[in-house]
Amino acid sequence: MKLAVVVGDQPADVIRLMPAWTDARRAVPGLTVTVLGSPVALALAARHDAVMRGIRVNMVDWAGSGWSWRQYKARRALDRELAQIDDDAFDFVVDPLGTFASSGLAARLPGLRCGLSGDALAHPKLEKRYQSRFPIPGNLHPVQRHRVMFAAILDYSIFDLKPDYGLIPQLPEQVDQPEQTVVAALDTAQIHWNQQQLALLKEVFAQAGVRKQAIAPEAPAAVSSHAPRDVVDAWWEAVANSAYVIATDCPTAHLAAALGRPGLMLCRPGQAPTTGAISCRHAHQA
C-alpha cells in the first residue's frame, strides 16, 4: 500500500500527522508514505519510519496568486519532480489539511484523491477536488481528526486513543546533572504577557536551579531552505534532551509532546481542546 500525503510547510502539522501514520503502518504492514511539503517539513517527516520519500515543494511560492518569477520556478521544479512519478505510484493521495494550496497540490498526483468535507475545509467548494470525502468535524483535535481520516480511508479501527507518534522517546542527558535544562518557546503575543511577567518567569527558573534555553516560537523556520535537516536536528536535540518544556502553541510544544517530554503548554481560553499538544503514550512525568 502506497500513500502520498500533503504535509504543507508547517512543522506542527507534520507532527500532528505522525500518530495517523503509526496507526496506518500497524494496520497495513508494508505501508509506505510519500510526503509533499517544504524542506523543513520533509526533514521532520523523515523522522517517522513510514515515510519513504519526500517531494520538495516551496508552498509559499508555488501557491502564490498572480504571476512571479519565483512562482514560475517553484512550479517548474514541482513539474520536474512529478514527471518522474508513474501513473500507478500511489493507491491514495491524502490531503488532511483542506486548504486551497494543499488540495491543489493533491490534484497533481496520481491515485484516489481523499480529503475532508464540511466545516473542516477552508472553503466548501474544495470538496469538488476530492474523489473520496470524509465528513469529520472541524472542531475535532487535528491529531484525532487525522487518525480518524486515515482509519476511514484504509478501513481499520482505532483501539488506542492515546496517540503514538512513532518516535522513540529519549531520556535527557542532563537528568543526573546538578543543572537541568528547561526549554522555553514563548510567543508573548499569544498569551499577552508583559516584560514584568517574563522577568518573573526567569526569576523562577533561577530559583529552581535550572538553565533556560530559549527557542524561537516559530522554530524550526517553516520556509527555511538552508540545510533544513541540520535545522531540524538541532531543534530536535534541544527538545529531546530537555528536562522540561514550557511553550505556547508552537512546533516546540508539539514536538515535546510527541517525544514524551514533561512540560506545560500555555493556551488562550478555549484553545487547548482544539489545538493543544497531546502527549504521546510513552510520556515521562516531571
Side-chain angles (χ1 to χ4, degrees):
M1 181 71 68
K2 297 180 181 179
L3 305 182
V5 182
V6 181
V7 299
D9 60 0
Q10 297 302 316
D13 287 335
V14 178
I15 295 169
R16 290 188 287 233
L17 274 163
M18 289 180 174
W21 297 340
T22 303
D23 294 342
R25 194 72 182 272
R26 288 173 178 165
V28 185
L31 176 142
T32 61
V33 175
T34 295
V35 294
L36 293 87
S38 70
V40 165
L42 298 189
L44 181 55
R47 292 275 185 161
H48 196 284
D49 63 4
V51 175
M52 296 292 108
R53 181 184 178 188
I55 298 177
R56 176 174 171 169
V57 183
N58 187 324
M59 298 293 292
V60 174
D61 293 339
W62 180 85
S65 59
W67 188 94
S68 68
W69 179 244
R70 293 180 63 176
Q71 182 193 71
Y72 173 78
K73 291 199 298 182
R75 295 191 173 186
R76 287 288 294 165
L78 179 60
D79 288 342
R80 288 192 293 269
E81 289 273 8
L82 299 184
Q84 303 175 37
I85 296 177
D86 296 332
D87 291 340
D88 60 351
F90 307 118
D91 297 291
F92 299 98
V93 177
V94 184
D95 173 21
L97 305 179
T99 67
F100 284 95
S102 62
S103 59
L105 193 54
R108 298 290 311 278
L109 298 169
L112 183 68
R113 293 190 301 277
C114 303
L116 300 164
S117 67
D119 64 350
L121 291 173
H123 194 284
K125 71 179 183 181
L126 294 180
E127 286 189 15
K128 298 178 181 179
R129 297 188 176 184
Y130 309 118
Q131 296 161 302
S132 186
R133 308 170 187 87
F134 299 89
I136 302 171
N139 61 356
L140 189 64
H141 192 285
V143 168
Q144 305 299 9
R145 183 168 68 242
H146 298 330
R147 296 181 73 195
V148 170
M149 182 180 185
F150 276 71
I153 293 170
L154 300 176
D155 193 23
Y156 60 82
S157 299
I158 301 174
F159 296 103
D160 188 354
L161 294 180
K162 195 73 171 176
D164 186 342
Y165 291 81
L167 309 175
I168 301 174
Q170 302 179 30
L171 291 173
E173 297 174 358
Q174 299 95 334
V175 153
D176 296 326
Q177 298 179 6
E179 186 179 59
Q180 298 183 13
T181 300
V182 172
V183 164
L186 300 172
D187 181 354
T188 54
Q190 285 191 31
I191 51 177
H192 306 295
W193 280 19
N194 56 36
Q195 292 301 315
Q196 183 178 359
Q197 290 168 310
L198 287 173
L200 179 60
L201 180 62
K202 292 179 182 179
E203 184 180 340
V204 170
F205 286 152
Q207 292 176 353
V210 298
R211 182 173 66 89
K212 187 187 103 172
Q213 179 176 355
I215 294 180
E218 65 274 13
V223 296
S224 173
S225 58
H226 175 67
R229 190 171 296 276
D230 292 342
V231 170
V232 169
D233 287 349
W235 169 65
W236 186 288
E237 182 179 359
V239 177
N241 289 330
S242 65
Y244 197 84
V245 176
I246 179 170
T248 48
D249 188 1
C250 64
T252 296
H254 295 283
L255 179 62
L259 293 175
R261 304 309 313 136
L264 174 66
M265 180 174 174
L266 303 174
C267 300
R268 294 187 297 269
Q271 179 187 15
T274 54
T275 62
I278 300 180
S279 192
C280 75
R281 63 196 307 269
H282 307 292
H284 300 288
Q285 301 298 319

